[in-house]
Amino acid sequence: MKTPSSFRGKSAKSPHSKKTDSEVIKLYLKTQRSDYFGILYQRYSTKVFSKCISLLKDEALAQDATQEIFTKIFLNLAKFSERSKFSTWVYSITYNFCIDFLRKRKKSKALFSDEMENPPDIVDDIPDSELLEMEVAKLKKVLELIPTGDKAILLMKYQDDMSIREIAGVLDKSESAIKMKIKRAKHKAQNVYRDIFPNNLN
Amino acid sequence: MASADSNNNFKKLAEIEAEQAPKPSPQLERNVMGTARNIGFIGNVLELYLSKALGMISALFGGSDLPAEESEEIKDLREGNFDNDNTIEPGGRAN
């Protein structure tokens, strides 16, 4: 059996390292050689792991989650259709797994702000630029303080450029429900920002 | 839709977090690749032997593991080509 370090060395020098994700997937499906899956692992494991830590807030849980997520990716690789980018598909599985995990663990506790409190009717939408141009350190602080579901939905939309339809698929909700959740998450983020940085409004 | 990446601090945050976050352990890679190899192996075994195993089970329960090919006798019975020596007429008399 190859050790990870020898495997890493091979894949780094390999001509396949320049292939696109879908080319690597096609090669894997054709040959069933796990080395090709290894290339995908090398490309995405750090990002998936980092997302798991960010959502689960526990390194050991994130390790377990990353392993299960890659097993899911491996088992479903043949079902990947190129309607979306492979990275989007991988992150969908990541968010789906983490949100499911948190729901099961927290049981009755809600993950989204609109599940916790009676949400007011939101009419005015906050411009995207207000969130996108928030100072990085402050944005990080705000995302730590809003409910995990709200954080996940904002990351899906603004960090991973997932479409409303893709987010709806991950959360198993209608597209209009997702639009409302995004609005509420943005309002929650803005309120938290105003609370913790009252003298520093963007 | 998100504006250009240069104005998107969510993406900058992702880059910073990916750099600062601990890297997945080599053990995790071993586990993932081990699982992939095992599943691949089981898949290959099933692909190779499952059809034969199903054929054997089918044969054990009285079916045929070959494509259904009717024997001459069954074909004759179905088509009504009775052998005159051994058949019994509807009236009950042997020929």
Side-chain angles (χ1 to χ4, degrees):
Chain A
M1 190 185 272
K2 282 174 200 153
T3 62
S5 53
S6 70
F7 174 78
R8 204 173 290 132
K10 278 192 177 182
S11 61
K13 286 172 196 166
S14 145
H16 300 305
S17 58
K18 283 182 184 171
K19 290 197 186 302
T20 64
D21 291 341
S22 55
E23 284 169 337
V24 175
I25 293 166
K26 276 176 195 154
L27 280 170
Y28 168 72
L29 293 175
K30 197 175 165 190
T31 62
Q32 298 288 307
R33 280 178 52 194
S34 57
D35 294 19
Y36 291 118
F37 182 68
I39 295 171
L40 299 174
Y41 177 85
Q42 289 299 329
R43 286 181 189 173
Y44 291 99
S45 59
T46 306
K47 282 178 189 164
V48 167
F49 186 55
S50 158
K51 278 190 193 302
C52 288
I53 290 182
S54 160
L55 293 171
L56 304 176
K57 299 181 176 90
D58 182 305
E59 200 179 322
L61 284 178
Q63 291 265 8
D64 293 346
T66 305
Q67 185 173 337
E68 292 202 36
I69 288 162
F70 273 96
T71 306
K72 275 192 174 190
I73 292 169
F74 180 77
L75 289 172
N76 290 291
L77 211 48
K79 289 182 201 162
F80 168 67
S81 61
E82 292 180 31
R83 271 178 298 176
S84 64
K85 284 199 290 183
F86 181 67
S87 57
T88 306
W89 188 68
V90 168
Y91 300 147
S92 303
I93 294 175
T94 306
Y95 285 115
N96 189 292
F97 184 91
C98 291
I99 288 169
D100 248 24
F101 178 88
L102 290 171
R103 270 200 202 285
K104 279 177 198 157
R105 200 175 61 161
K106 289 190 172 179
K107 286 183 181 158
S108 59
K109 259 193 175 178
L111 279 178
F112 295 89
S113 54
D114 61 350
E115 292 169 352
M116 288 177 177
E117 54 213 37
N118 243 350
D121 281 337
I122 295 169
V123 183
D124 295 330
D125 202 2
I126 298 168
D128 284 350
S129 60
E130 206 161 306
L131 282 175
L132 296 176
E133 290 166 17
M134 208 179 267
E135 215 176 285
V136 177
K138 288 174 183 167
L139 177 63
K140 186 179 179 183
K141 190 80 195 153
V142 167
L143 290 175
E144 275 168 14
L145 292 172
I146 61 175
T148 313
D150 289 354
K151 176 181 178 173
I153 213 165
L154 292 178
L155 293 181
M156 282 188 253
K157 179 160 169 58
Y158 297 114
Q159 202 168 74
D160 301 315
D161 298 328
M162 288 169 68
S163 67
I164 300 290
R165 180 184 288 197
E166 285 163 341
I167 301 172
V170 171
L171 298 177
D172 197 20
K173 302 265 183 210
S174 68
E175 290 183 34
S176 55
I178 294 301
K179 282 179 193 163
M180 188 49 75
K181 274 188 186 296
I182 290 171
K183 263 189 187 183
R184 292 197 204 289
K186 282 165 76 176
H187 272 263
K188 189 77 188 176
Q190 193 191 45
N191 290 342
V192 168
Y193 182 84
R194 284 178 179 165
D195 284 348
I196 57 173
F197 304 110
N199 303 321
N200 215 336
L201 292 174
N202 260 350
Chain B
M1 192 70 189
S3 66
D5 285 4
S6 57
N7 293 328
N8 185 343
N9 284 343
F10 276 84
K11 290 197 187 284
K12 285 180 193 156
L13 179 62
E15 284 168 22
I16 292 168
E17 282 186 337
E19 277 170 23
Q20 289 175 349
K23 299 284 169 277
S25 70
Q27 181 61 41
L28 178 64
E29 182 175 354
R30 272 195 290 273
N31 291 347
V32 169
M33 294 312 296
T35 307
R37 270 188 279 270
N38 290 341
I39 295 171
F41 175 74
I42 293 167
N44 287 340
V45 168
L46 287 179
E47 200 179 317
L48 273 174
Y49 296 110
L50 188 66
S51 61
K52 286 185 182 174
L54 286 176
M56 276 176 66
I57 292 167
S58 153
L60 274 174
F61 286 95
S64 167
D65 56 351
L66 296 170
E69 203 172 273
E70 287 181 338
S71 67
E72 281 298 306
E73 224 172 314
I74 294 170
K75 239 184 222 173
D76 284 346
L77 283 172
R78 189 189 298 281
E79 290 164 11
N81 300 333
F82 300 116
D83 182 339
N84 283 342
D85 292 331
N86 297 319
T87 49
I88 296 172
E89 283 186 338
R93 266 187 310 126
N95 283 327

